[in-house]
């Protein structure tokens, strides 16, 4: 059986990340908001299609916008807007754009555009880069936990 070596540094780093996530609001905006949307703008105004087409976060433009699931979504181009309108479920982030790692732990947290992952064709956002690192340690396991938690998180 392989031994896992835990260093003081790794314990401190993990503890600091857990504390940082714990300090985030347990409920972002409203208890029933299905989409992370500060000021009504989904996922910080970032174009969700660009994560797939440009492999990076790209700021959306209000002139290319649509409403979906109670939030306004911005896109970098008319083409991206059209792609989203034709198949929003393919481009909208999982767990409403809330932090996927937090969802795996049983609560919601806001996200930042830079902390993202596409896994098996789905977009997952995280609260910060450290939460993304923790998410990446066991994506399938974290997805399963988040999916189990998700129906009750927004209640």
């Amino acid at each position: 059986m392989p031994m896992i070596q835990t260093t003081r540094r790794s314990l401190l780093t993990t503890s600091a990340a857990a504390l940082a996530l714990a300090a985030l609001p347990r409920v972002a905006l409203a208890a029933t908001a299905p989409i992370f949307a500060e000021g009504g703008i989904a996922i910080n105004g970032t174009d969700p299609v660009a994560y797939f087409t440009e492999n990076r976060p790209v700021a959306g433009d209000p002139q290319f916008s649509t409403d979906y699931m109670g939030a306004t979504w911005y896109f970098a181009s008319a083409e991206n807007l059209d792609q989203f309108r034709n198949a929003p479920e393919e481009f909208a982030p999982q767990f409403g754009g809330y932090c996927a790692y937090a969802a795996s732990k049983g609560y919601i947290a806001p996200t930042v555009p830079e902390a993202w992952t596409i896994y098996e064709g789905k977009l997952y956002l995280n609260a910060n880069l450290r939460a993304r690192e923790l998410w990446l340690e066991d994506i399938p396991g974290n997805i399963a936990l988040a999916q189990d938690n998700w129906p009750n998180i927004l209640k």
Side-chain angles (χ1 to χ4, degrees):
M1 174 180 225
M3 290 187 58
I4 298 174
Q5 182 178 8
T6 303
T7 65
R8 182 179 295 177
R9 182 180 182 152
S10 67
L11 281 174
L12 289 172
T13 302
T14 302
S15 296
L19 287 172
L21 277 175
L24 291 171
R26 292 285 176 165
V27 177
L29 298 180
T32 58
I35 301 294
F36 169 59
E38 289 185 347
I41 307 302
I43 64 171
N44 300 302
T46 304
D47 179 343
V49 176
Y51 285 105
F52 294 91
T53 60
E54 297 191 35
N55 201 34
R56 65 186 180 97
V58 175
D61 185 327
Q63 74 173 335
F64 306 115
S65 66
T66 193
D67 290 331
Y68 175 69
M69 292 187 68
T72 301
W73 298 72
Y74 290 168
F75 301 87
S77 67
E79 179 182 345
N80 286 7
L81 170 60
D82 289 342
Q83 284 185 286
F84 186 87
R85 282 183 174 157
N86 290 330
E89 65 286 345
E90 290 182 25
F91 298 105
Q94 302 302 291
F95 311 114
Y98 291 104
C99 178
Y101 183 72
S104 76
K105 298 301 180 192
Y107 62 94
I108 59 174
T111 54
V112 296
E114 300 78 23
W116 63 281
T117 305
I118 293 176
Y119 180 77
E120 294 186 347
K122 302 289 184 185
L123 174 61
Y124 299 90
L125 300 176
N126 283 286
N128 53 50
L129 294 175
R130 180 60 185 145
R132 181 179 179 265
E133 288 176 19
L134 295 169
W135 172 256
L136 292 173
E137 288 178 4
D138 182 12
I139 295 174
N142 287 325
I143 289 171
L145 289 170
Q147 287 174 337
D148 286 346
N149 292 331
W150 189 246
N152 296 313
I153 291 176
L154 297 177
K155 291 182 180 179

